């Protein structure tokens, strides 16, 4: 032990906590073994006549019948398992890459921006955590930019069809087999809808259950998965297709309000397509099984409702304004979300500690005492935190007491692709797979934040050692990651 006893004391605390966790988690198993031994000894002492008496009794027959009926009811009423066969993330062409220098050069050529606004964007970009190879659509690369409806449709088609073509090629699924379609795009909702655009392109069947989610922000990808899962509980033996994207073209801000300039520096082109199934036979070829989805909505609070708000500035330029209170509101939404998620995934040892701290705080009315934050690392192996920005990742790393390794996928996704909105959690999962870290039985926590204000979670379990699919978005650059990011 050193003079202060620091490192040794910390290691001792960790060992004590691990021992406590093991004891509480396996308590019932440890108790079950001696009980079974006693029961076996007692049964072995029964004579053959005693056993025949039991078999011939009416009570025994009634118990067996009740057990059979109960088992049938249980298996018929339990929720259907939802499997993730595969997913695909769109990789834009290299011609759409935008470096810091190109971003600033193009911005300086746009007369709408003042010198103060240009300097503000430069500072935000440097501190953003984005790298030199993120992507912007052709419409924004153009000088002057082309924020037209035609250009926005072109961007949507490139991203969505690019992801879907790759998904269908990898899974060999006939698009007409799909029974449920859920599309989410927050800021671009044309008529006909994006879901109708997909139906038209791939000639999906006429009785498909299609949904188009708009205005639900960066957490809408989890909402779309949750909706698709609910639909798969109703409709038997079918596939559900979930498409998540955001559109940059018509949502670039050409004004000088600082709170509305931040999205220009963070949001980039991206999209994902996910194929789900409720067919029991698909388990063998699936990557993951959906375990839980938890949705939290703080929209009843005015500050939360207004913290991410699309509006016009004093010059009638439209953009999305980000409040200074955003991170505090996200923290509150996270607390609410993990309060619901915790009992579903955490071992009993952590639940006891959380409950005991909560009761003690209420009994002694100690408002200064911080609530106990459960150790989610005991229940979850990989964390896909929405790459909304460096501050978002920093906040969750601190709040959940995660290590740099746990947030590596999120930081590298932000660096390589920027904030791709609701699809970012899938680029992060693709990163984990490309690194060869996804093993059978591993649990993945996808967590995202969005306007409204919402915090949504999805937990998946790997059904096998997952290898990256063909055309994984990281396959050409994974050898360069992780990279060091100046924080």
């Amino acid at each position: 032990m050193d003079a202060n006893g620091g490192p040794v004391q910390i290691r001792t605390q960790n060992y004590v906590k691990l021992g406590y966790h093991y004891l509480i988690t396996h308590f019932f198993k440890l108790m079950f073994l001696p009980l079974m031994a006693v029961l076996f000894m007692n049964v072995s002492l029964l004579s053959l006549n005693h056993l025949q008496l039991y078999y011939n009794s009416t009570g025994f027959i009634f118990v067996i019948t009740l057990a059979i009926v109960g088992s049938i009811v249980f298996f018929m009423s339990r929720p259907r398992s939802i499997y993730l066969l595969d997913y695909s993330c769109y990789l834009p062409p290299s011609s759409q890459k935008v470096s810091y220098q190109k971003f600033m050069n193009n911005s300086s050529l746009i007369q709408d921006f003042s010198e103060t606004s240009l300097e503000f964007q430069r500072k935000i970009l440097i501190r953003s955590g984005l790298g030199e190879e993120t992507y912007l659509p052709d419409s924004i690369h153009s000088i002057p930019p082309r924020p037209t409806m035609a250009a926005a449709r072109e961007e949507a088609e490139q991203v969505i069809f690019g992801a879907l073509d790759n998904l269908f090629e990898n899974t060999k699924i006939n698009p007409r087999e799909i029974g449920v379609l859920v599309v989410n795009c927050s800021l671009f909702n044309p008529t006909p809808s994006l879901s109708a655009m997909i139906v038209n392109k791939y000639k999906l069947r006429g009785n498909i259950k299609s949904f188009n989610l708009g205005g639900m922000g960066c957490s809408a990808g989890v909402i779309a998965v949750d909706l698709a899962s609910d639909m798969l509980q109703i409709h038997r033996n079918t596939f559900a297709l979930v498409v998540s994207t955001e559109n940059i073209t018509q949502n670039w801000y050409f004004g000088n309000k600082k709170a509305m300039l931040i999205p220009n520096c963070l949001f980039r082109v991206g999209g994902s397509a996910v194929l789900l199934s409720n067919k029991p036979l698909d388990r063998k070829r699936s990557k993951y099984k959906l375990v839980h989805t938890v949705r939290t909505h703080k929209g009843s609070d005015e500050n939360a409702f207004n913290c991410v708000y699309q509006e016009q500035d004093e010059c009638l330029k439209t953009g999305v304004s980000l409040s200074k209170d955003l991170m505090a509101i996200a923290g509150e939404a996270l607390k609410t979300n993990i309060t619901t998620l915790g009992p579903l995934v955490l071992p009993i040892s952590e639940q006891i500690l959380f409950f005991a701290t909560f009761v003690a705080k209420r009994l002694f009315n100690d408002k200064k005492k911080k609530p106990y934050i459960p150790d989610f690392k005991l229940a979850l192996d990989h964390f896909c935190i929405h790459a909304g920005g460096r501050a978002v990742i920093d906040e969750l790393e601190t709040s959940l007491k995660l290590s740099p390794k746990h947030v590596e996928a999120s930081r590298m996704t932000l660096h390589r692709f920027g904030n791709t909105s609701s699809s970012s959690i899938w680029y992060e999962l693709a990163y984990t797979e490309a690194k060869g870290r996804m093993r059978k039985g591993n649990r993945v926590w996808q967590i995202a934040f969005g306007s409204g204000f919402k915090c949504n979670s999805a937990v998946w379990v790997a059904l096998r050692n997952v290898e990256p699919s063909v055309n994984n978005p990281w396959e050409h650059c994974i050898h360069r990651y992780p990279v060091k990011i100046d924080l």
Side-chain angles (χ1 to χ4, degrees), residues 282-326:
D282 281 335
R283 179 186 175 92
K284 291 183 178 180
R285 60 172 178 160
S286 296
K287 287 186 171 183
Y288 304 95
K289 175 184 174 182
L290 182 62
V291 182
H292 300 292
T293 54
V294 174
R295 294 167 56 178
T296 300
H297 206 309
K298 308 293 285 187
S300 60
D301 179 81
E302 287 300 319
N303 289 332
F305 177 75
N306 292 304
C307 72
V308 181
Y309 202 86
Q310 187 179 28
E311 60 183 358
Q312 290 181 320
D313 63 14
E314 61 275 6
C315 298
L316 302 183
K317 301 288 181 66
T318 302
V320 175
S321 178
L322 303 182
S323 167
K324 293 180 179 179
D325 300 326
L326 178 59

Side-chain angles (χ1 to χ4, degrees), residues 187-456:
L187 294 172
F188 181 60
N189 295 282
T191 299
S193 66
L194 297 178
S195 60
M197 182 183 78
I198 295 172
V199 171
N200 176 260
K201 167 70 174 180
Y202 296 97
K203 309 305 176 188
L204 305 186
R205 64 197 200 195
N207 64 344
I208 191 170
K209 304 298 184 291
S210 65
F211 303 87
N212 202 96
L213 307 181
M216 304 194 80
C218 299
S219 69
V222 177
I223 296 174
V225 168
D226 184 54
L227 174 58
S229 174
D230 288 344
M231 295 301 295
L232 289 176
Q233 296 300 326
I234 301 171
H235 303 281
R236 295 175 176 271
N237 296 316
T238 192
F239 297 107
L241 184 62
V242 177
V243 179
S244 300
T245 189
E246 192 50 85
N247 196 279
I248 307 293
T249 296
Q250 287 196 319
N251 297 289
W252 199 258
Y253 176 59
F254 295 98
N256 293 290
K257 187 176 180 180
K258 290 183 178 180
M260 300 170 73
L261 282 168
I262 297 174
N264 285 10
C265 303
L266 297 178
F267 283 87
R268 296 294 184 263
V269 172
S272 61
V274 181
L275 186 63
L276 304 175
S277 173
N278 59 8
K279 301 179 181 181
L281 292 179
D282 281 335
R283 179 186 175 92
K284 291 183 178 180
R285 60 172 178 160
S286 296
K287 287 186 171 183
Y288 304 95
K289 175 184 174 182
L290 182 62
V291 182
H292 300 292
T293 54
V294 174
R295 294 167 56 178
T296 300
H297 206 309
K298 308 293 285 187
S300 60
D301 179 81
E302 287 300 319
N303 289 332
F305 177 75
N306 292 304
C307 72
V308 181
Y309 202 86
Q310 187 179 28
E311 60 183 358
Q312 290 181 320
D313 63 14
E314 61 275 6
C315 298
L316 302 183
K317 301 288 181 66
T318 302
V320 175
S321 178
L322 303 182
S323 167
K324 293 180 179 179
D325 300 326
L326 178 59
M327 292 316 304
I329 292 168
E332 289 300 316
L334 173 65
K335 290 177 185 177
T336 305
N337 190 268
I338 64 177
T339 300
T340 304
L341 180 67
L344 299 176
V345 300
L346 288 170
I348 190 66
S349 58
E350 285 297 291
Q351 295 187 45
I352 290 174
L353 287 174
F354 177 79
F355 181 73
T357 306
F358 175 80
V359 171
K361 186 176 180 180
R362 288 300 181 92
L363 286 177
F364 297 104
N365 197 26
D366 187 358
K367 296 182 179 180
K368 295 182 180 180
K369 185 177 178 61
K370 294 183 179 180
Y372 177 75
I373 302 298
D375 188 355
F376 281 91
K377 300 186 294 294
L378 293 172
L380 303 161
D381 304 284
H382 305 284
F383 297 80
C384 296
I385 300 167
H386 165 53
R390 196 186 72 182
V392 175
I393 301 171
D394 289 346
E395 176 68 22
L396 265 72
E397 181 180 6
T398 302
S399 299
L400 299 175
K401 299 178 181 178
L402 302 177
S403 69
K405 194 76 170 180
H406 290 122
V407 297
E408 180 185 310
S410 300
R411 290 200 190 280
M412 296 307 106
T413 294
L414 181 64
H415 182 271
R416 177 65 180 86
F417 295 100
N419 181 350
T420 61
S421 190
S422 55
S423 65
S424 69
I425 54 178
W426 297 104
Y427 285 90
E428 292 161 16
L429 187 59
Y431 177 89
T432 304
E433 292 180 5
K435 280 293 182 182
R437 297 172 182 170
M438 191 63 64
R439 318 309 295 170
K440 182 178 180 180
N442 281 181
R443 291 197 168 202
V444 186
W445 182 11
Q446 293 178 320
I447 184 166
F449 302 91
S451 58
F453 189 82
K454 299 179 286 294
C455 176
N456 300 316

